[in-house]
Amino acid sequence: MIAEKVLFLVLDGISDRPCEALNGLTPLSAAETPVLNQLAAEGVCGIMDTIAPGIRPGSDTSHLALLGYPPQDYYTGRGPLEAEGTGIHMTAGMIGFRCNFATVDRDGLIIDRRAGRISGTGPLSAAIREGVDLSALGVGFRFESGAGHRAALALIGEGLGDRVSSNDPKKEGVRPLPIRACSDDPADEKTARACNEFISQSAEILAAHPLNAQRVEEGLPPANFLLIRGAGKMGTFPNFQERYGLSGSVISAATLISGIGKVVGLEHIPVPGTTGSVDSDLDAKVEATLGELKRKDFVLLNIKGADEAGHDGNVVQKRDFIEVIDAALEPLLALPEDTLLVICADHSTPCSVRDHSADPVPVVIRGPGVRVDRTVRFDEVSCAEGGLNRIRGCDIMPIILDLINKSHKYGA
Ligand code: ZN
Ligand code: ZN
C-alpha cells in the first residue's frame, strides 16, 4: 500500500537540552509519552537540523524549510507572513509589519508596550482604517487586529522599500523612536515617511477613541499608540498544490504559522478554543485535523505551548505540557491506513536558553512503506539512533513525496 494522505505535525519547540531539574533529562525525555513512543516504535526516526547545523531557526524560517521553501530563497522577514496570518491578503511588493497596541503617557513616554494586554481591538482598527489617509504620499494601507494586543499593517504602493527601522525601543519609560530608512534608497525613505505618518495619524485617532476613554475610566491603560516592527517585502511563493500535487490545509493558533501556510496556498482552518498557549484546546485541534484529512491530501498541524514554556524557562511546565500533548495525540494511533504521519519540531527551545537553539530536533515518519527501525521512544537522544539518521528541514518534503510515490525520477 502507498499512502495518499499526509499529516504533518509540528510540535513547536518541543526539544530541549538536558535540564538539571530533571536529573539531566530533557523535558521530552522526562515526560511520560506513551502515544509518541508508540508512534516512534511504529515508524522510522531520526534527528533534523531544520535549517542547517548550527543555525538557530525562527519558527518562520523553519516552517518554510519544512514545507520545502528554502528560507534563503523565500524569506523576506516576519512582517508579511504575520500580516497574511492576521487576515490581510498580501500580494507581491506589499510591505508587511507586525504591530502592538501600546500605551504612552501625556509626555509621550511608553508606559506599557502591550496596552495592558488589551484584547478586542477590532473597533480601534476599524477607526484607523477609516481615518488614516496616506494618499498624499502615494501610499495605500491595510490594517487588521490580531490576537490580544497584536495587529498587522501592510503598505501598498509604487517604489516602497523594506529596509526601515522599528519605532519600538523595546523598553518602557522612553519615547518611541522615529522610523528611519536603513539605506539612502528613496524606496526605503518613502516607506519610513509613510510609517511615521501612519503612526502619528493613528495616534490621534486612538487618543480620541471612546473605547480608550472607557478604558481610562476603568483604570486600564489606553491603547493609544502603535509600535511597529518586522518590516518585510512580500515575495512570491510557488503554489503548494501545483508544486507537489497535494491539496492542503494548515491548522495553527499562531498567526505566523497560519500566515506561512496561507502564502504557500494552504487553506487556514480556524479552530475555536485554540490559543497557541498551554491552555489551548488540543482535542479540538486534533479532531479538526482528522476532519480535514478527509477533504485534503496534506494537513499541517502546529501545536505551540511547549515553545512558550521553553521561552519562559519553565522546565516542569514544559514537561507537563508535553504529557498533555501526548494524551491529545491518542487518536493518531488509529489514523486511516492510507495516511503518512510525520512528527517533528521546528527547532529546539531549551529552557536554559529561553530562546530557540540550533540543537537538532527529533523526527518520526510512520505509515505504509516506511522501513521501521528499532527506535521505541520519541525523544532527542533515542531518535538520533533511528533509520533517518540526521537530515535537514528541506529534506523532509522530498522524503514525504517519495514515500507517497509523487516524486520525480532524477535521471533515466
Ligand atoms: Zn517555533
Ligand atoms: Zn519560540
Side-chain angles (χ1 to χ4, degrees):
M1 182 192 232
I2 303 291
E4 290 184 355
K5 308 262 178 170
V6 180
L7 168 48
F8 197 146
L9 169 59
V10 178
L11 302 172
D12 209 300
I14 201 169
S15 43
D16 210 297
R17 291 180 180 171
C19 301
E20 264 174 54
L22 301 172
N23 295 322
L25 295 176
T26 65
L28 181 58
S29 51
E32 296 278 342
T33 54
V35 176
L36 284 167
N37 293 347
Q38 187 178 331
L39 294 168
E42 293 172 0
V44 60
C45 299
I47 53 173
M48 177 164 65
D49 301 286
T50 49
I51 310 287
I55 305 295
R56 289 172 54 211
S59 289
D60 43 14
T61 49
S62 61
H63 276 77
L64 284 170
L66 293 175
L67 292 170
Y69 296 79
Q72 53 273 34
D73 298 338
Y74 291 101
Y75 184 63
T76 58
R78 182 164 177 164
L81 304 170
E82 196 68 65
E84 180 81 35
T86 308
I88 298 172
H89 178 54
M90 297 293 290
T91 53
M94 282 166 79
I95 312 293
F97 302 85
R98 317 164 60 192
C99 309
N100 272 13
F101 283 96
T103 308
V104 294
D105 68 9
R106 227 173 266 141
D107 302 321
L109 305 178
I110 299 169
I111 52 171
D112 190 331
R113 289 181 55 252
R114 300 182 183 88
R117 292 199 178 263
I118 187 175
S119 60
T121 61
L124 299 176
S125 294
I128 287 169
R129 285 194 295 271
E130 190 126 317
V132 173
D133 183 0
L134 305 177
S135 60
L137 298 170
V139 176
F141 76 95
R142 304 267 186 278
F143 187 79
E144 289 289 340
S145 288
H149 59 278
R150 298 186 190 89
L153 167 69
L155 298 180
I156 310 157
E158 292 290 305
L160 289 170
D162 64 351
R163 285 163 297 173
V164 296
S165 63
S166 165
N167 68 337
D168 186 353
K170 296 256 167 150
K171 57 184 177 195
E172 283 150 11
V174 296
R175 252 169 241 293
L177 306 164
I179 292 196
R180 291 203 176 87
C182 303
S183 76
D184 49 18
D185 186 333
D188 296 328
E189 284 165 7
K190 182 175 176 178
T191 298
R193 268 197 309 278
C195 286
N196 287 319
E197 186 60 27
F198 175 82
I199 289 161
S200 73
Q201 286 189 29
S202 58
E204 270 177 48
I205 291 165
L206 292 170
H209 200 280
L211 199 131
N212 275 328
Q214 194 189 325
R215 282 180 69 81
V216 171
E217 220 165 87
E218 290 167 5
L220 296 169
N224 58 7
F225 201 81
L226 288 170
L227 296 173
I228 74 176
R229 63 191 194 281
K233 184 180 268 191
M234 179 64 179
T236 45
F237 295 85
N239 181 270
F240 187 90
Q241 180 158 8
E242 283 167 23
R243 205 163 177 205
Y244 300 129
L246 299 169
S247 62
S249 298
V250 55
I251 295 181
S252 167
T255 50
L256 181 62
I257 309 304
S258 56
I260 288 168
K262 284 163 79 175
V263 298
V264 303
L266 302 179
E267 185 186 352
H268 175 230
I269 309 296
V271 180
T274 59
T275 61
S277 290
V278 290
D279 60 351
S280 197
D281 185 348
L282 300 184
D283 295 334
K285 260 178 139 165
V286 171
E287 195 185 320
T289 302
L290 298 177
E292 267 317 282
L293 279 169
K294 298 200 174 102
R295 291 199 315 133
K296 297 283 183 63
D297 304 318
F298 179 96
V299 180
L300 171 65
L301 168 61
N302 173 288
I303 295 181
K304 201 102 175 140
D307 175 59
E308 209 176 59
H311 281 287
D312 292 342
N314 196 331
V315 175
V316 171
Q317 188 187 51
K318 185 166 180 180
R319 180 200 61 197
D320 292 351
F321 186 64
I322 290 169
E323 295 185 350
V324 172
I325 294 175
D326 189 77
L329 297 181
E330 198 183 337
L332 303 190
L333 293 171
L335 274 179
E337 255 181 76
D338 68 344
T339 306
L340 193 71
L341 172 64
V342 180
I343 306 176
C344 62
D346 55 342
H347 49 75
S348 300
T349 311
C351 294
S352 57
V353 180
R354 294 180 174 234
D355 203 343
H356 305 174
S357 74
D359 299 275
V361 304
V363 53
V364 56
I365 305 177
R366 178 248 206 194
V370 165
R371 291 181 190 160
V372 178
D373 61 24
R374 296 193 183 97
T375 302
V376 295
R377 268 197 66 91
F378 184 77
D379 64 49
E380 299 88 338
V381 173
S382 306
C383 285
E385 295 177 357
L388 286 171
N389 300 134
R390 186 165 180 163
I391 59 174
R392 294 195 187 195
C394 275
D395 298 328
I396 200 87
M397 276 310 295
I399 292 171
I400 291 171
L401 293 170
D402 183 49
L403 282 167
I404 61 174
N405 275 12
K406 279 195 186 273
S407 74
H408 299 289
K409 194 196 271 181
Y410 178 54

